[in-house]
RNA sequence: GCGCCUGUGGCGAAAUUGGUAGACGCGCUAGACUUAGGAUCUAGUAACGCAAGUUGUGUAGGUUCGAGUCCUAUCAGGCGCACCA
């Protein structure tokens, strides 16, 4: 019988579907396990062979856990809102919903061919009202909450209103970026609109005037993680800094917890490190510097409190609120000119120029420790958004201050012994302090570390500042001027204040529009919708939510996807709790993986979920790159020259579709037929062949290097595809797709099939396996069981090959051995395993078969290694047959050629043979 | 600049965590069988050498009876953050 994978795979995929083999429900009799993939954005290009890499890895783990008796939740869905569908809609007029659904159908078809064990009854799509109702619901909860820094959790905003009524802002523990102070009387005297505006400073979801990343090309604002080096991640368009009134999420309130809780989860060090960098913890002090001739004081943040004696000037960010207070009339003109200049530079221009610029404000501040008066400058090297937007400048020990001081010819006072500051500043936090003592504070002679601690202590005592932690993490900008996203459940009242819709009005459905472009007056596309008003007739918000909104809690929805009453029921949440294993790429490190953690923590604060972290273990699969092929056209001709001859010509490399190439040899006829302009191409061949060049590049349509998994499944079968993807190398590593290796995997499955059949008849029998066969299969059981736990799938595949070769060699015909083999193989290659399982006469599905346990007895080596120690020090090793009695081992050890050297002619006083393979000789 | 990760045959990679480096697969070489192929099977394949042998895990040191593995320095590549005080 032939191994007809196409037939077998179709047959069993059908069987699994009809028998709901992968359907899962709450079952208190079994331990649960939740295995999740990052759900895909269904793009028009379909899946390529890179996409399933992570899905296969997680599917193996999910199947393995089922064999081990766990109740496994393994769902899949679609992150359906996104820019590409909308861009396509703008170009074609096609509704994004239509293209999205078409793409989803295509994805589903492709996924189904690979034989995943998803429970499709739990599928979610972020663009469906039944799903986004809960995205909107969560937003409403955030709108109605503030962050209590004393309790360190979210609380209802009504509690804060009560507090303001009684106490004003004095002593309130609400997280805010605004500097607002008011008394209870002042609060009570406010109008509703004023109160509403004031509360915006505290809500977790708030409408705020913030500096945003505005992308004119895309016509929308972008979050920080959607921008890199002044360009949008998607499309690479320039991004400007601009103050706009936008919805934001107070992610920064959770910075401390997002950082600390990284220690409680099992993620790779590198991705934890990325998040740590992104959150950007820094411990320092805030200090007050009085302004000469004013009651105002400058509040600055520093991590180098120890350098207080070296402060020779102060610097304010151009956007700082202090600017107006410190500018003197004489300097007004110069300052305004500078501010204007800065305003017209984009972030990118500022970064590229790296030119020292700034202006003197005319005012002076007083160093609170030395009492010296120092000038206050304004410069764009100080950022408004970090710390307090004002710094104390210590040119001797900060390179930026140093450059500024040199440029404006300001004094530089060295504070660390032996530091050479003639050419550059000494930034290291290391050395002995000097020039740093007076009657108030004595730091001379201290190590920097101790000086920092002592200064902090002093400034708290003296009441000139306090110890403070700062984070780099900013609030997330949460609105987009786009159509294809979740509408905000917000309307605007008579005063123009945003108000929440009642929860009973959810979901607020995305309205129809005639075009997917902004309105003529520049409003977002929802401005085109007719009757876009709340049930009370008031106008609704025109922005929509960003892409990460829908993906922030989808893992919770899978637990209870059809629930109309709640995001997830208490029962489902308490059973499934959190994702035990999450598999996906690293590209979401500072986006989705931060937002989800934030979102989950917010829900946790209110007890909507019972775990404070959403993803317990995270595995990042690498990217699969494409291998592109090139032909080389001789410039200004229709001639193409073969790879190894191209050095003799002036050539242009051109991407050629990899479908026209086999083993880097071009199929010339196919090439001519590929494009009309190549129809009359001529070729300079080598050895009668045209050899193409190649390069490893990202897999993409434009490079003609996309490999479609459907083609691989068609030609080699899904099981071979699965095994090959796992065999390519470690799952975390990025690697090029390599079709060459697939023949090895393909051969393995064919040979395995061959072991079962002699012609058309099953040749396996019920017989007692030999010791060698037992050893072989139990080695495999142990290896595969251990490998799966640590995601070392590539070595598992190797182990399967070794074992099958051994069984073949020893002509093992025992059914029981092969039965175990098949169960082990089932997570990796489920179709062939299922077929062979039935061929063996087993009942049910192999997916539910019990995972075999290995027996150490069968694994015993024929030779055992002993380490021989002399007086406790290991000296050499000996090998003896397994089961050799102790005194025999001792004799062999002492007659070993190495023994004489350590015995040095003496007789051993005592020899101890330890069962854990150590021989200790006491001389 | 700060932080993290990775360096092993022609290639993808293994290495029981300090104990025979290169498992397994690709490729290559030779042979067998053939319906002559991009099929299947058998043997070989780190380098140098006819051999015994010698040298080999980016480079240079160190610890150890023993180092791909641990320590120090250095080089190369990848990733993250970056005028963050």
């Amino acid at each position: 019988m032939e191994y007809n994978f196409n037939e077998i795979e179709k047959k069993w995929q059908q069987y699994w579907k009809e028998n709901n083999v992968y359907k899962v429900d709450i079952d208190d009799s079994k331990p649960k396990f939740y295995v999740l993939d990052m759900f895909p954005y269904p793009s028009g290009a379909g899946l390529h062979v890179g996409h399933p890499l992570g899905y296969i890895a997680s599917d193996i783990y999910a199947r393995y856990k089922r064999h081990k008796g766990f109740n496994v939740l393994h769902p899949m869905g679609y992150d359906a809102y996104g820019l590409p569908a909308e861009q396509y809609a703008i170009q074609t007029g096609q509704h994004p919903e239509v293209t999205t659904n078409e793409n989803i159908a295509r994805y589903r078809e492709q996924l189904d061919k690979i034989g995943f064990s998803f429970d499709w009854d739990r599928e979610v799509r972020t663009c469906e009202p039944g799903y986004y109702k809960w995205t909107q619901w969560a937003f409403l909860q955030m709108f109605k909450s503030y962050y209590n820094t004393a309790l360190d959790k979210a609380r209802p905003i009504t509690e804060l209103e009560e507090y303001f009524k009684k106490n004003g802002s004095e002593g309130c523990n609400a997280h805010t970026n605004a500097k607002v102070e008011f008394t209870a009387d002042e609060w009570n005297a406010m109008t509703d609109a004023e109160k509403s505006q004031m509360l915006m400073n505290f809500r977790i979801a708030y409408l705020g005037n913030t500096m945003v990343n505005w992308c004119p090309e895309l016509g929308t604002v972008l979050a920080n993680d959607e921008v890199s080096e002044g360009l949008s991640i998607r499309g690479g368009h320039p991004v400007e800094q601009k103050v706009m009134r936008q919805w934001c999420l107070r992610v920064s309130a959770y910075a401390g917890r997002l950082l600390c809780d990284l220690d409680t989860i099992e993620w790779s060090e590198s991705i934890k490190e990325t998040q740590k960098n992104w959150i950007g913890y820094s411990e320092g002090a805030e200090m007050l510097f009085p302004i000469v001739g004013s009651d105002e004081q400058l509040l600055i943040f520093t991590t180098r409190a120890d350098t207080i004696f070296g402060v020779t000037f102060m610097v304010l960010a151009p956007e700082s609120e202090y600017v107006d207070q410190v500018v003197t009339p004489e300097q007004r003109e110069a300052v305004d000119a500078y501010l204007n200049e800065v305003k017209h530079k984009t972030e990118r221009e500022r970064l590229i120029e790296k030119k020292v610029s700034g202006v003197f404000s005319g005012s002076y501040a007083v160093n609170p420790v030395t009492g010296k008066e120092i000038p206050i400058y304004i410069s764009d090297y100080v950022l408004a958004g970090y710390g307090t937007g004002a710094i104390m400048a210590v040119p001797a020990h900060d390179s930026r201050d140093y450059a500024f001081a040199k440029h404006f010819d300001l004094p530089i006072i060295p504070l660390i012994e032996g530091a050479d500051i003639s050419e550059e500043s000494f930034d290291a936090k290391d050395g002995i302090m000097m020039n740093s003592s007076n009657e108030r504070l004595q730091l001379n002679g201290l190590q920097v570390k101790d000086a920092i601690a002592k200064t902090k202590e002093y400034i708290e005592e003296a009441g000139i500042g306090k110890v403070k932690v700062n984070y780099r993490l900013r609030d997330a900008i949460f609105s987009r001027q786009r159509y294809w996203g979740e509408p905000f459940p917000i309307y605007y009242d008579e005063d123009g204040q945003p108000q929440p819709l009642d929860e009973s009005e959810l979901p607020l459905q995305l309205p129809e529009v005639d075009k997917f472009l902004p309105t003529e007056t520049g409003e977002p596309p929802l401005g085109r919708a007719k009757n876009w008003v709340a049930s009370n007739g008031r106008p609704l918000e025109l922005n929509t939510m960003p892409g990460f909104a829908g993906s922030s809690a989808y893992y919770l929805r899978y637990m209870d996807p059809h629930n109309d009453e709640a995001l997830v029921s208490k029962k489902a949440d308490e059973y499934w709790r959190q994702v035990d294993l999450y598999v996906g790429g690293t590209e979401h490190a500072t986006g989705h993986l931060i937002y989800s953690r934030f979102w989950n923590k917010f829900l946790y604060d209110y007890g909507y979920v019972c775990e404070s972290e959403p993803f317990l273990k995270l595995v990042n699969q690498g990217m699969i790159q494409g291998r592109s092929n090139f032909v080389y056209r001789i410039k200004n001709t229709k001639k193409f020259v073969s790879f190894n001859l191209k050095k003799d010509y002036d050539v242009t490399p051109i991407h050629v579709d990899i479908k026209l190439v086999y083993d880097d040899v071009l199929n010339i006829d196919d090439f001519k037929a590929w494009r009309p302009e190549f129809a009359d191409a001529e070729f300079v061949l080598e050895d009668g062949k045209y050899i193409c060049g190649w390069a490893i590049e990202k897999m993409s349509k434009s490079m003609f290097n996309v490999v479609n998994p459907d083609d691989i499944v068609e030609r080699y079968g899904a099981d071979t595809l699965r095994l090959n993807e796992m065999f390519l190398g470690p799952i975390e590593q990025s690697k090029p797709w390599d079709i060459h290796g697939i023949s090895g995997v393909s051969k393995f499955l064919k040979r395995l099939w061959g072991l079962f059949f002699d012609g058309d008849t099953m040749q396996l029998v019920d017989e007692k396996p030999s010791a060698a066969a037992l050893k072989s299969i139990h080695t495999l059981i142990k290896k595969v069981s251990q490998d799966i736990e640590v995601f070392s799938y590539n070595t598992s595949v190797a182990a399967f090959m070794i074992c099958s070769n051994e069984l073949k060699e020893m002509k093992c015909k025992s059914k029981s051995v092969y039965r175990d083999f098949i169960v082990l193989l089932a997570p990796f290659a489920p179709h062939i395993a299922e077929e062979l399982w039935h061929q063996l006469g087993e009942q049910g599905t192999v997916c539910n078969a019990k995972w075999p346990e290995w027996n150490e007895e069968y694994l015993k080596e024929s030779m055992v290694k002993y380490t021989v120690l002399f007086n406790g020090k290991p000296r050499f090793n000996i090998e003896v047959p397994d089961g050799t009695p102790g005194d025999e081992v001792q004799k062999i050890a002492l007659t070993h050629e190495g023994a004489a050297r350590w015995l040095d002619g003496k007789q051993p006083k005592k020899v101890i043979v330890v069962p854990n393979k150590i021989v200790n000789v006491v001389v």
Side-chain angles (χ1 to χ4, degrees), chain A residues 57-58 60-61 726 731 787-788 791-798 828:
Chain A
S58 64
I60 289 170
Y61 204 82
M726 293 303 101
I731 194 79
D787 279 352
I788 292 179
F791 306 95
S792 179
Y793 298 129
N794 55 333
T795 54
S796 281
V797 178
F828 295 83

Side-chain angles (χ1 to χ4, degrees), chain A residues 553-771:
Chain A
Y554 75 110
Y555 58 92
L556 293 170
R557 192 61 183 162
Y558 281 135
M559 297 175 181
D560 197 7
H562 310 298
N563 191 334
D564 290 337
E565 305 297 315
L567 167 63
V568 51
S569 71
K570 196 114 199 126
K571 187 181 170 207
D573 179 61
E574 280 175 358
Y575 183 76
W576 297 111
R577 305 192 73 84
Q578 71 188 142
V579 176
D580 295 286
L581 172 67
Y582 196 26
V583 178
T586 50
E587 66 272 21
H588 298 109
T590 55
H592 162 64
L593 288 173
I594 290 269
Y595 299 128
S596 277
R597 294 182 62 218
F598 155 76
W599 204 283
N600 191 83
K601 283 178 192 302
F602 171 76
L603 296 174
Y604 173 78
D605 287 348
Y606 279 110
Y608 292 121
V609 299
C610 59
E611 293 283 354
S612 69
E613 281 291 332
F615 315 119
L616 183 59
K617 186 175 171 75
L618 177 70
V619 169
N620 298 115
Q621 94 276 19
M623 267 215 286
I624 294 217
Q625 296 133 313
R627 189 176 185 281
S628 317
N629 276 115
F630 296 92
V631 292
Y632 301 91
R633 180 163 61 193
I634 303 169
K635 283 203 173 135
N636 308 316
T637 69
K638 296 204 163 191
K639 261 192 177 169
F640 293 83
V641 57
S642 187
F643 179 75
N644 294 301
L645 305 173
K646 74 175 163 57
K647 56 187 176 295
D648 302 331
Y649 302 86
D650 188 11
V651 297
T652 319
I654 299 171
H655 275 97
V656 59
D657 195 323
I658 53 167
K659 291 193 179 92
L660 312 177
V661 180
Y662 187 86
D663 266 350
D664 291 338
V665 176
L666 183 70
N667 183 323
I668 288 173
D669 293 335
D670 289 356
F671 179 71
K672 284 181 175 174
W674 185 39
R675 289 284 159 86
E677 68 259 40
F678 299 145
D680 52 353
E682 294 168 52
F683 300 89
V684 182
L685 305 178
E686 51 181 307
D687 302 332
K689 289 181 287 192
Y690 187 96
I691 310 291
C692 296
W694 58 273
I696 303 300
E697 296 174 303
K698 203 179 160 206
M699 218 176 251
S700 90
K701 260 183 169 174
S702 61
M703 294 172 184
F704 303 107
N705 61 359
V706 174
V707 181
N708 187 328
D710 298 0
D711 296 341
I712 307 294
V713 169
E714 180 68 28
R715 182 150 168 209
Y716 296 97
D719 287 333
T720 301
L721 171 72
R722 291 171 63 110
L723 281 172
N724 188 52
E725 295 226 1
M726 293 303 101
F727 194 48
L728 284 175
I731 194 79
E732 304 88 350
Q733 233 164 68
S734 286
K735 55 231 154 185
W737 170 255
D738 179 15
I739 192 64
H740 291 95
I742 205 167
S743 63
V745 172
S746 171
K747 261 188 253 177
F748 156 66
L749 287 183
K750 279 187 203 160
R751 279 193 211 133
L752 178 70
W753 183 265
L755 293 179
F756 280 69
F757 302 101
D758 185 10
D760 277 353
T761 52
M762 160 67 66
Q763 61 162 342
L764 302 183
V765 292
D766 288 308
E767 68 172 23
K768 206 164 163 263
S770 66

